[in-house]
Amino acid sequence: GEKMFNKDRLKLQRTNKGISIYDMAKELYQNGCNISHQALRNYENGTNVPSANILYSLSKYFKKKMEYFFNQ
């Protein structure tokens, strides 16, 4: 079937790190990924799906393969 973004895995990774959405946005910005905490919140609650560029940054940030963030 179609690969769907798995918002729960994004939230799981963030909570495992023990950081807020706000701090995560700040750390991503320091890593060269300019994203707002509002956008991250929208990914976590399923309102929006990250672009390929953002997904790449998220997977690097969490040291996960991009496939991790999709339902298989």
Side-chain angles (χ1 to χ4, degrees), residues 6-16 44 69:
N6 189 330
K7 63 186 174 61
D8 299 325
R9 286 191 169 171
L10 176 60
K11 185 163 194 169
L12 178 69
Q13 286 303 305
R14 180 178 63 76
T15 52
N16 281 351
E44 281 194 9
F69 293 103

Side-chain angles (χ1 to χ4, degrees), residues 10-72:
L10 176 60
K11 185 163 194 169
L12 178 69
Q13 286 303 305
R14 180 178 63 76
T15 52
N16 281 351
K17 249 184 181 300
I19 58 165
S20 68
I21 288 182
Y22 183 78
D23 287 336
M24 181 175 157
K26 213 160 59 175
E27 287 184 12
L28 283 165
Y29 180 76
Q30 288 161 356
N31 291 335
C33 176
N34 192 3
I35 187 164
S36 69
H37 64 280
Q38 290 98 331
L40 290 174
R41 183 168 284 118
N42 286 340
Y43 300 151
E44 281 194 9
N45 65 27
T47 307
N48 255 324
V49 174
S51 67
N53 282 349
I54 299 291
L55 196 58
Y56 178 71
S57 296
L58 291 172
S59 59
K60 274 204 319 191
Y61 176 72
F62 289 119
K63 299 177 174 65
K64 293 280 179 192
K65 292 189 166 136
M66 282 173 74
E67 292 80 47
Y68 172 84
F69 293 103
F70 288 96
N71 289 328
Q72 293 304 328

